Amino acid sequence: MSDTIVKTGTTTVALTTDDGVLLAADRRASLGGRFVTNKAVQKVQGVHPTAALTMAGGVGDLQSYIRTLRAEASLYETRRGEPIDMAALSTLAGTLLREGPYRGAQPTLGGVDRTGPHVYDLDTAGGVMEADYHASGSGMQLAYGVLEREFEPNLPTDVARRVAANAIESAIERDTASGNGLTVATVSADGVEIRGYDAFSEVAA
């Protein structure tokens, strides 16, 4: 059954910077990690004006999850009359995973609020764990090797972007479910900027 479900396969990473968060992912979707079904999947999506989410797992679950999270965050703000902070957004994101039908979703949340930049590892049981950096997906072990070596607290955004790209590129070299360039989201107090790259050499250091 798992071989008939379109999955992102994937390698995603998220890391804090001196004034924001960098989230990155490859762009390949596959069936069972063996047949490439799409070469241009945007696996990083904005879910709030100053927050974004990486996508790993079943595509259908992830698309539904992102729509619901956006709607619930907007409803929260309408009811309270103020922007949702990252602690509340991460709790909401974890609750949706625990209580909703999103068993194939393995997202990572990153964003900025009054208290600074935040990255959250979200598990399918609803667990929420904050970290300075995180990797997920089928290529995560390879990506972690790069992050452990190159990540430092308070990296400038341009340097952090190169570290994230290096982590994805390392995974693509060995993980057949990851590939076809990358998408990078730069999140700051000013908003979320998402760019796609066909080649890793295009990512400015």
Side-chain angles (χ1 to χ4, degrees):
M1 182 66 176
S2 62
D3 287 354
T4 66
I5 298 174
V6 177
K7 299 180 179 180
T8 60
T10 224
T11 304
T12 79
V13 300
L15 57 152
T16 57
T17 72
D18 56 352
D19 64 353
V21 173
L22 255 293
L23 302 100
D26 72 292
R27 301 194 298 186
R28 177 176 293 174
S30 63
L31 288 172
R34 294 193 297 271
F35 181 81
V36 178
T37 59
N38 195 301
K39 299 179 182 180
V41 178
Q42 184 174 307
K43 301 179 190 177
V44 187
Q45 298 280 342
V47 292
H48 183 266
T50 59
L53 198 75
T54 67
M55 301 165 57
V59 172
D61 279 342
L62 287 160
Q63 289 176 338
S64 177
Y65 176 75
I66 288 171
R67 287 193 296 267
T68 303
L69 182 59
R70 286 171 176 162
E72 290 292 339
S74 178
L75 183 60
Y76 177 104
E77 295 183 351
T78 299
R79 287 173 171 170
R80 294 175 179 258
E82 61 182 13
I84 189 170
D85 60 31
M86 288 306 300
L89 183 59
S90 66
T91 299
L92 172 59
T95 300
L96 287 176
L97 285 171
R98 183 175 64 252
E99 298 181 352
Y102 310 111
R103 299 305 175 214
Q106 300 170 0
T108 302
L109 176 67
V112 178
D113 61 14
R114 294 189 303 265
T115 63
H118 302 274
V119 167
Y120 298 96
D121 168 18
L122 307 173
D123 67 39
T124 54
V128 178
M129 293 172 285
E130 187 167 4
D132 290 330
Y133 58 89
H134 178 65
S136 66
S138 54
M140 63 184 290
Q141 291 178 310
L142 298 157
Y144 263 124
V146 174
L147 293 175
E148 293 285 358
R149 183 177 68 248
E150 298 186 11
F151 175 82
E152 296 178 6
N154 301 314
L155 285 173
T157 299
D158 287 348
V159 177
R161 187 179 295 113
R162 186 66 252 175
V163 170
N166 289 345
I168 300 296
E169 185 175 23
S170 177
I172 284 175
E173 288 295 320
R174 294 288 179 176
D175 177 40
T176 58
S178 302
N180 302 106
L182 77 161
T183 302
V184 179
T186 305
V187 184
S188 69
D190 295 326
V192 178
E193 179 186 7
I194 299 177
R195 291 188 59 187
Y197 300 90
D198 294 324
F200 288 89
S201 60
E202 298 174 3
V203 182

